[in-house]
Amino acid sequence: MAQGKVGSGFDISSSVYGTHIYKRFSPSLLEPLLSSNSPPSLVEALDPSKWDQSISPFRLPKGLRLVLADVDAGTNTPSFIRGILKWREEKPEESNEIWGKLFKANTRLVKALEHLRDMEGEEEYGEVLEAAAGLPIEQVSPSSGSSCYGSPSFL
């Protein structure tokens, strides 16, 4: 609501739930609050049963750290998101293609991390982790086989 419904809410969700997989709530849930025509009470609007976001527990495999850094001076989320929404409206085919690729890459990363996490108790885990560290994401894909540690597609 503070961002005019353009933020995803992930930063707040991360503060509350810690590391997790997040699917954004429908922005339409905020419309009654942003409406000037007798908005509902905040308690009514925040009723968890009305929200459709998805929050799934997640943890990184042992030995991995995820570090994010802003190398400049931060981003004004509302204006940044407005720019993205404008681009998506002006170039729907291009933006849908990129959005689809981003979704697939994120899904592959989650599956690869989950598979690696499932291997933590195995003797070869340290070797697999070390080998994975040197691979570009294009060479990492979840394995359907049970043991292919030496292959670039071991995850």
Side-chain angles (χ1 to χ4, degrees), residues 78-147:
S79 62
F80 180 77
I81 298 298
R82 277 192 280 284
I84 296 288
L85 293 174
K86 181 180 177 191
W87 167 71
R88 290 194 76 184
E89 188 176 304
E90 291 173 356
K91 299 185 177 186
E93 286 182 27
E94 176 186 1
S95 65
N96 286 337
E97 181 182 347
I98 291 172
W99 235 245
K101 287 179 180 179
L102 181 60
F103 177 79
K104 286 179 183 176
N106 285 339
T107 301
R108 279 186 27 213
L109 177 60
V110 167
K111 286 181 181 182
L113 291 171
E114 287 173 340
H115 184 74
L116 188 57
R117 194 180 61 214
D118 290 343
M119 296 173 61
E120 287 175 342
E122 297 184 24
E123 197 173 308
E124 300 91 347
Y125 180 72
E127 296 168 29
V128 170
L129 189 61
E130 191 173 320
L135 290 177
I137 191 64
E138 296 82 21
Q139 292 181 10
V140 178
S141 62
S143 161
S144 57
S146 59
S147 180

